[in-house]
Amino acid sequence: MADDASTTRTRVRNRRGEGGRLREEIVTTAAEMLDENGDANVITLRSVARRVGIAAPSIYRHFPDQPAIVLAVVRSAFTELDEWLGAAMDAADDTPRAQLTALWRGYLEYAQAHPGRYRIMFAGSWAPDPNESSVSEEDLATLGQACLRRLGRALESCVNVGCATSSDPAADTIALWIGLHGLAHQRLASPAFRWPSDIAERVITPLAHLTDR
């Protein structure tokens, strides 16, 4: 997106002690820019400041560099995804298989609904260098852990009631996540491809070791 005057907002200055609101506004604005462009490179200190309606140096009080802003956006997106998955599971039957089905369907639906965010979250289009930015390896390694734990619990519940035969639910959770990610990514990358109507079930069933029960 171009940095021009048309993208500048008129912003009312925060009162003393309202710095947290400005931080949230910066993250929300950066997420909007990501949704519009699907490219983390459009998120710069200058472009975000212009959209928020503040001077660029004001951002440094909250974020030391551009990767820190994107990290905040990605963390917020993972929180949103976890809430999305929770809502999908709450709306489904409480049987383990129905819960797992609601979870993987919710995952794929989120990717379709938020392609720009999803690509940054999972597709490797954002890869900050921990040696060259404020983002650490630990920051990157812990992204999405709540969602992964949710997936693991759902699979283990299926094993406990006998509708999945996994002998290593922890490892199969990772395999299942990779399969989900691969399908979500390819759907975004090849929207015109004629996917089989049951492609998700064909991917999920063997990876989760689901039975006919």
Side-chain angles (χ1 to χ4, degrees):
M1 173 179 291
D3 283 342
D4 56 38
S6 65
T7 62
T8 304
R9 298 174 181 170
T10 300
R11 186 177 183 283
V12 177
R13 184 187 180 99
N14 281 334
R15 298 175 182 174
R16 186 179 297 275
E18 292 185 338
R21 191 178 78 175
L22 175 56
R23 189 184 191 282
E24 292 177 4
E25 196 170 343
I26 291 169
V27 174
T28 299
T29 298
E32 291 171 355
M33 296 170 66
L34 184 59
D35 287 340
E36 293 166 6
N37 295 272
D39 183 355
N41 290 325
V42 302
I43 300 174
T44 66
L45 296 176
R46 181 184 175 190
S47 65
V48 174
R50 186 182 293 275
R51 282 279 289 262
V52 174
I54 59 176
S58 299
I59 290 184
Y60 286 110
R61 300 173 187 170
H62 305 277
F63 300 97
D65 52 22
Q66 186 265 10
I69 298 177
V70 181
L71 175 65
V73 172
V74 172
R75 281 175 169 165
S76 177
F78 271 114
T79 297
E80 180 182 57
L81 172 59
D82 189 54
E83 293 172 350
W84 182 293
L85 298 179
M89 296 173 75
D90 288 344
D93 292 341
D94 61 2
T95 61
R97 185 155 187 159
Q99 289 287 292
L100 180 62
T101 298
L103 196 159
W104 64 253
R105 284 180 176 168
Y107 182 101
L108 295 174
E109 289 167 359
Y110 181 88
Q112 289 291 320
H114 302 286
R117 298 184 195 189
Y118 183 84
R119 290 188 182 96
I120 299 301
M121 294 162 69
F122 290 109
S125 58
W126 176 68
D129 185 346
N131 297 317
E132 300 292 336
S133 73
S134 65
V135 176
S136 69
E137 290 184 0
E138 181 69 11
D139 290 329
L140 299 176
T142 55
L143 288 172
Q145 289 301 303
C147 299
L148 193 60
R149 286 193 295 270
R150 187 185 290 276
L151 184 61
R153 290 194 299 268
L155 178 56
E156 195 160 344
S157 293
C158 286
V159 172
N160 290 340
V161 299
C163 65
T165 60
S166 170
S167 60
D168 190 345
D172 285 329
T173 295
I174 301 298
L176 181 56
W177 170 76
I178 292 172
L180 274 172
H181 165 63
L183 179 56
H185 175 69
Q186 286 305 119
R187 279 179 163 178
L188 294 178
S190 306
F193 186 80
R194 295 181 179 177
W195 298 97
S197 60
D198 64 344
I199 187 61
E201 287 82 357
R202 289 177 179 271
V203 171
I204 301 306
T205 298
L207 290 175
H209 299 276
L210 294 175
T211 69
D212 295 331
R213 289 182 58 181

